[in-house]
């Protein structure tokens, strides 16, 4: 699934990466009442969000001036990551729109 989010308050990939590293883990863990480990990788305008507790789960965020795109790049279909993706999209909307 690919979701496009308006980048209304222009946010660079670097700024979004910093916000994700500082705030996203607390946000999603509060929503899920969990203690998920989350890793991030950032290269140019792409940010990968990895959930090591959920094997092979990667969500990719592409940032441009016009919008932020979130796509599911999970290698395995063993886990349903719709809820993780939903909370990532909700978080980005709060920060970018």
């Amino acid at each position: 699934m690919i979701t496009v989010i308006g980048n209304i308050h222009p946010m660079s990939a670097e700024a979004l990466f910093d916000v994700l590293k500082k705030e996203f883990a607390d946000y999603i863990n509060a929503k899920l009442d969990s203690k998920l480990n989350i890793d991030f990788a950032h290269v140019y305008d792409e940010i990968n969000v990895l959930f090591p507790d959920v094997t092979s789960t990667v969500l990719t965020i592409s940032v441009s001036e016009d919008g932020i795109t979130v796509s599911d790049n999970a290698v395995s279909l063993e886990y349903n990551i719709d809820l993780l993706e939903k909370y990532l999209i909700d978080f980005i909307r709060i920060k970018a729109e």
Side-chain angles (χ1 to χ4, degrees), residues 17-70:
F17 180 68
D18 286 341
V19 169
L20 286 167
K21 286 189 330 185
K22 292 176 184 171
E23 300 176 29
F24 182 62
D26 290 339
Y27 174 85
I28 196 167
N29 283 324
K31 294 286 185 184
L32 296 173
D33 192 27
S34 66
K35 293 189 187 237
L36 282 175
N37 292 311
I38 304 170
D39 292 329
F40 303 95
H42 172 238
V43 177
Y44 299 109
D45 292 337
E46 302 281 324
I47 302 167
N48 286 328
V49 182
L50 300 92
F51 299 90
D53 299 332
V54 183
T55 308
S56 302
T57 300
V58 178
L59 297 171
T60 299
I61 304 165
S62 300
V63 180
S64 72
E65 290 179 14
D66 299 327
I68 299 169
T69 305
V70 178

